[in-house]
Amino acid sequence: FFLLLRRTSTMTAASAAAAAAAKATKAPAPNPPPTYDHPEYAFQFSSTVFCFLFFGACLVVWFFLSFVNRDANRDRDRDRDDDREELDSEDERIELKADIVDHEKAAKMGDKARDSRQNAKNQPKNKKKHLVQPVEATKASLTLLASQLTQFGGILMYSWFCENMPVFEHANKHYSRDIFWFVTFIYLGFALTTVKGNPKDTSLLNREQTEEWKGWMQFLFLAYHYFHASEVYNSIRVFISCYVWMTGFGNFSFFYIKQDFGFVRFAQMMWRLNFLVFWLMMAHGNTFILYYINPLHTFYFLMVYAVMYVCSSYNHQKNPIRVKVMVSALIIFLIWDVPGVFDIVWRFLPTESVIGAKNGVRHEWHFRSGLDHYSALFGMIFAMNYPMAQEWFVSVERLGSWKQWCMKGIMLLTMFVVMGFWVNNVFLLNKFKYNEHHAYYFWVPLLSYIFVRNCSLTLRSYHLGLLTSMGKITLETYLMQHHIWLTSNAKTLLVFIPNAPMVNFLCVSCVYLLLSHKLFRLTVSLRAQLVPNDLNKALWLLATMYTTLSFIYALALLCTFLGGGFAVVFSMALLLGGGFYCILREITDNPQEAIYRIRKPYLAVTGVIGSSVLMFNLISFLNHALIHIEPQTKHTGGVAQSWPLGVMCVIIAGICVVLFDSFVGVSYIVTYAGFERMPDWESTYSVLHKKIAGGKSSSSFSSSSMSKRNKILEG
């Protein structure tokens, strides 16, 4: 994670020479042009060469496995048919007689057989999900892997061509309030026609509802970027905080329920979060901080993992888990709200201008992480108190209709009053002033939305299918918007149809959404194949991936040294793919022998190259981190850092923790004002803990509804 944050693009010799010449003449280094017109048709970054080599080799392997092997299999089948024709005539008569008997039996069944078949067709079929199996030394498994890697690489290369070799010149953004809100209302209006019921799970923040929440936020987030709707900037900041809040909420719930802190779970989560962004960085020569949502989710996942992993045996005890959460709140306050501490902790981050961080990575990370440094914490607290909140809704809805809505009405009135204060004093501030206050008040609209959306059983029983589908591909739509919807790292527009902006918007959006959905499926499928649940298999496959990719990266450096031309890269990809195919064919023909005869020598040779590449990067990292440390001198404002407001947030978090009330004590006060009692911690959590341990106790609280929280980020 830290290496990715620090990563700067590796340029080819031609690009480096151009940058050096510009520096010598005291002129700024030229940025990559929107249309690629290099005179030698060479790639600009060695990482781009790496991508073309790897996915080009995958294409060659897939072609040979799918077509060359198929022809060989067809020849073998034909030989078998020829051999079968030479069977003894007596055997042929026996087989023919058996075949005739079978047909006579089938004919005697008559209408009865036809009726049974017709009834079987009319019976509803049980749809079973096709589970992708880990990659194995079989032709079918390797063909599937090569096919999906080729598809993934094809989409990645499509994004590269959209950026560097577009058919039409990229267009500039132009904001029209009328068009922005027209498109928004059309989309949300159509979403209202896709109402679906979810009677099986009407719990607080059920999965369908959470996906719906992500879906409508993602649409507005994307429309804000496409139409350059800067006037809704403050709302977008709230949406991003909601996403980070879900990171804390979903991962805390998973670790609380599953108690799985193993390497496989960790690797699978890292794959889901960073697999696509890694390849985008490689293909386009970008920095990790440019796609800032991924560093945010990755860092706060690591924070939740650390909180839950330390003294994990105490996670189900009433007080220790709350102490751990409050200690993490104090650490967050110390790093982000006490002046000077952030620069000490993150001093290894560079301060020079790079792609995606014109004021330096340290300032950009301070800005991005500071805006949401309490978001994941409040998500963890909500997940910790989730059984109490769920039981509160259930107990209140058991009351009479009049008393139930009196209590909920007081809650709603309180929410509206606090929301009015937030809108008047925080939300309407200008962009930079709002940034300074956002991190400390984001929880007001977030908790208000959660309560309003879940205030009745009817609202919890329905969701909008269109928004739910959109919510499942939020990560892919966020990342790919930079290159196949927008271009120039989300600064310009991709053009399919010039001089027709709305028609072009429709065409580009269709391709963009289809490819984003495909990338989601490919990412999940490749993770299942290459990071399986079995630890030994996962370690072997990860080691093979590491050595293979590092070997290909070394070849990419060689191609770059030779000029990085298309012809050189194309030839190298063909040779590489042919070599891999020969190795894989040997493995599939003799899988047992090949493990000892091929895999271990292959890992040894490529591992030496991989270790050399790793050591080179590590030395470069340490050299920059320990020797070339520069003070943070640039401060452009808008960084959230205020210790009084930080103290306020820690106190609010403490109230939620002490009172077991995620709504900052409001539901606690309303319950006692209505002469009712809050749910008891022991009775509520003891049932949950028994179910986690495999007990058969029954209760109105369903642990299955909470266990679904761990799939929030998976969606």
Side-chain angles (χ1 to χ4, degrees):
F1 173 71
F2 298 139
L3 287 171
L4 284 173
L5 270 180
R6 290 187 52 82
R7 182 186 179 278
T8 55
S9 303
T10 304
M11 304 178 69
T12 59
S15 301
K23 185 176 181 181
T25 57
K26 297 183 179 180
N31 291 324
T35 56
Y36 199 82
D37 55 355
H38 195 284
E40 298 179 2
Y41 298 98
F43 293 101
Q44 188 178 12
F45 300 107
S46 59
S47 58
T48 309
V49 177
F50 164 67
C51 288
F52 272 85
L53 282 179
F54 175 69
F55 291 112
C58 290
L59 174 61
V60 173
V61 171
W62 170 75
F63 175 81
F64 277 104
L65 286 174
S66 299
F67 298 101
V68 177
N69 264 13
R70 186 174 64 181
D71 294 338
N73 292 337
R74 188 183 296 115
D75 293 338
R76 285 196 295 268
D77 293 340
R78 190 181 298 112
D79 293 340
R80 292 194 194 99
D81 293 338
D82 294 340
D83 294 339
R84 193 174 295 114
E85 290 176 359
E86 298 175 0
L87 289 172
D88 185 78
S89 59
E90 182 66 24
D91 293 336
E92 290 180 358
R93 285 195 295 270
I94 292 173
E95 291 179 2
L96 180 61
K97 183 178 180 181
D99 187 53
I100 293 173
V101 171
D102 289 340
H103 281 289
E104 288 178 350
K105 288 181 179 179
K108 289 179 181 179
M109 294 177 67
D111 296 336
K112 184 177 180 180
R114 285 194 296 271
D115 292 341
S116 62
R117 285 195 298 269
Q118 187 65 31
N119 292 333
K121 289 181 180 179
N122 295 332
Q123 291 294 330
K125 296 182 179 180
N126 295 326
K127 295 183 178 180
K128 295 184 179 180
K129 293 184 178 180
H130 175 66
L131 300 178
V132 180
Q133 300 299 322
V135 65
E136 297 176 350
T138 62
K139 177 180 177 293
S141 179
L142 293 173
T143 303
L144 176 63
L145 177 63
S147 172
Q148 294 192 344
L149 285 173
T150 302
Q151 294 175 55
F152 186 91
I155 298 174
L156 199 68
M157 294 305 104
Y158 168 74
S159 73
W160 186 88
F161 280 101
C162 287
E163 284 280 13
N164 298 284
M165 302 180 69
V167 177
F168 299 103
E169 186 178 357
H170 299 157
N172 294 321
K173 299 178 182 180
H174 297 286
Y175 176 57
S176 170
R177 180 182 298 171
D178 181 56
I179 293 177
F180 172 77
W181 288 111
F182 175 78
V183 172
T184 300
F185 286 133
I186 285 291
Y187 182 81
L188 297 180
F190 179 72
L192 291 174
T193 66
T194 62
V195 177
K196 295 182 179 180
N198 46 315
K200 293 183 179 180
D201 186 7
T202 59
S203 59
L204 174 68
L205 282 178
N206 55 72
R207 186 184 180 188
E208 289 77 12
Q209 182 193 132
T210 312
E211 299 290 3
E212 174 198 271
W213 184 10
K214 291 195 297 182
W216 67 260
M217 290 193 303
Q218 185 70 0
F219 174 81
L220 288 171
F221 179 70
L222 296 173
Y224 157 78
H225 277 166
Y226 192 91
F227 295 105
H228 196 56
S230 56
E231 66 180 9
V232 298
Y233 171 84
N234 293 357
S235 299
I236 302 303
R237 289 263 63 88
V238 176
F239 299 163
I240 295 173
S241 294
C242 292
Y243 285 126
V244 180
W245 181 91
M246 291 181 197
T247 297
F249 176 67
N251 286 294
F252 185 99
S253 299
F254 175 88
F255 291 125
Y256 194 92
I257 296 290
K258 298 294 184 180
Q259 305 178 73
D260 181 5
F261 301 97
F263 172 78
V264 172
R265 164 63 185 174
F266 182 85
Q268 289 174 343
M269 194 63 194
M270 289 296 100
W271 181 288
R272 179 70 185 99
L273 288 174
N274 294 309
F275 178 72
L276 178 56
V277 73
F278 168 79
W279 287 109
L280 287 175
M281 288 166 54
M282 294 292 106
H284 298 280
N286 286 330
T287 55
F288 194 35
I289 197 66
L290 173 70
Y291 311 97
Y292 64 90
I293 293 293
N294 289 77
L296 283 177
H297 284 303
T298 302
F299 175 76
Y300 288 113
F301 166 77
L302 294 174
M303 185 189 77
V304 176
Y305 183 88
V307 171
M308 297 300 288
Y309 179 76
V310 175
C311 301
S312 58
S313 59
Y314 296 98
N315 285 346
H316 289 173
Q317 296 186 19
K318 182 177 180 179
N319 294 321
I321 183 62
R322 283 163 170 74
V323 171
K324 290 202 297 181
V325 170
M326 289 309 300
V327 168
S328 65
L330 293 175
I331 294 174
I332 291 172
F333 168 80
L334 180 65
I335 295 176
W336 273 273
D337 293 327
V338 176
V341 178
F342 182 91
D343 288 335
I344 296 173
V345 174
W346 299 95
R347 67 191 302 267
F348 61 88
L349 293 179
T351 57
E352 65 270 15
S353 178
V354 295
I355 298 174
K358 63 180 181 180
N359 294 316
V361 174
R362 192 191 306 174
H363 176 271
E364 189 69 16
W365 179 240
H366 192 184
F367 173 67
R368 297 298 181 184
S369 62
L371 285 170
D372 294 297
H373 60 286
Y374 285 111
S375 300
L377 174 71
F378 275 80
M380 292 166 62
I381 293 173
F382 200 100
M384 183 174 60
N385 293 333
Y386 178 85
M388 297 288 285
Q390 170 69 14
E391 190 64 27
W392 184 87
F393 275 96
V394 171
S395 61
V396 168
E397 288 166 356
R398 288 199 193 106
L399 303 174
S401 178
W402 184 86
K403 189 170 185 178
Q404 172 192 156
W405 282 105
C406 279
M407 296 176 67
K408 290 182 178 178
I410 296 174
M411 286 282 291
L412 289 170
L413 180 62
T414 306
M415 297 289 181
F416 286 132
V417 170
V418 177
M419 275 290 293
F421 171 83
W422 174 77
V423 169
N424 187 58
N425 294 280
V426 179
F427 184 70
L428 297 179
L429 294 173
N430 66 66
K431 175 179 178 178
F432 293 102
K433 282 291 183 182
Y434 178 80
N435 285 341
E436 295 176 359
H437 293 80
H438 166 77
Y440 310 103
Y441 294 99
F442 78 94
W443 51 271
V444 174
L446 187 148
L447 294 180
S448 299
Y449 172 81
I450 291 175
F451 187 84
V452 172
R453 181 64 179 83
N454 293 272
C455 66
S456 76
L457 181 61
T458 302
L459 287 175
R460 298 197 300 273
S461 301
Y462 294 93
H463 67 278
L464 302 180
L466 179 64
L467 300 182
T468 301
S469 300
M470 185 70 174
K472 293 178 180 178
I473 56 172
T474 51
L475 184 61
E476 286 72 23
T477 51
Y478 164 73
L479 291 172
M480 298 310 294
Q481 66 163 331
H482 291 82
H483 307 295
I484 66 172
W485 199 46
L486 306 170
T487 50
S488 305
N489 295 330
K491 293 182 176 62
T492 56
L493 305 178
L494 180 63
V495 177
F496 283 173
I497 304 175
N499 303 320
M502 296 310 296
V503 177
N504 179 73
F505 167 72
L506 178 63
C507 296
V508 172
S509 299
C510 289
V511 176
Y512 161 65
L513 291 174
L514 286 172
L515 293 183
S516 296
H517 186 269
K518 184 64 177 178
L519 283 172
F520 164 70
R521 295 296 180 189
L522 289 173
T523 302
V524 174
S525 178
L526 289 171
R527 182 184 64 179
Q529 294 177 73
L530 298 174
V531 193
N533 293 327
D534 183 82
L535 179 60
N536 291 329
K537 284 186 178 180
L539 291 176
W540 272 112
L541 290 171
L542 288 173
T544 305
M545 282 189 286
Y546 162 72
T547 57
T548 302
L549 293 178
S550 59
F551 172 72
I552 296 175
Y553 188 76
L555 293 180
L557 294 177
L558 176 61
C559 290
T560 303
F561 177 77
L562 297 176
F566 283 8
V568 174
V569 175
F570 179 76
S571 303
M572 187 70 76
L574 286 178
L575 293 174
L576 193 63
F580 282 147
Y581 168 72
C582 293
I583 294 174
L584 294 177
R585 184 173 181 179
E586 185 68 22
I587 291 175
T588 55
D589 290 343
N590 304 289
Q592 297 299 327
E593 298 178 6
I595 290 178
Y596 300 98
R597 191 160 49 86
I598 295 178
R599 186 170 71 175
K600 291 186 177 180
Y602 173 83
L603 290 178
V605 173
T606 55
V608 171
I609 300 175
S611 299
S612 302
V613 173
L614 177 63
M615 288 302 298
F616 175 79
N617 289 330
L618 185 60
I619 292 172
S620 176
F621 163 71
L622 293 175
N623 179 61
H624 198 291
L626 301 178
I627 300 176
H628 300 286
I629 295 295
E630 299 177 8
Q632 179 70 57
T633 57
K634 296 181 180 180
H635 181 81
T636 59
V639 175
Q641 190 170 42
S642 170
W643 71 264
L645 292 177
V647 170
M648 179 196 73
C649 271
V650 173
I651 292 174
I652 291 172
I655 292 173
C656 295
V657 168
V658 172
L659 298 180
F660 313 108
D661 184 5
S662 297
F663 295 101
V664 201
V666 177
S667 58
Y668 192 92
I669 296 172
V670 169
T671 301
Y672 281 98
F675 301 101
E676 298 293 334
R677 295 185 62 183
M678 285 290 290
D680 182 62
W681 188 93
E682 283 75 13
S683 60
T684 300
Y685 282 81
S686 61
V687 173
L688 172 62
H689 295 160
K690 287 180 180 178
K691 289 186 176 182
I692 293 173
K696 297 182 179 180
S697 302
S698 61
S699 170
S700 59
F701 171 72
S702 173
S703 65
S704 62
S705 63
M706 186 175 178
S707 66
K708 292 182 180 179
R709 308 280 73 77
N710 70 79
K711 294 185 178 179
I712 289 176
L713 292 179
E714 303 298 331

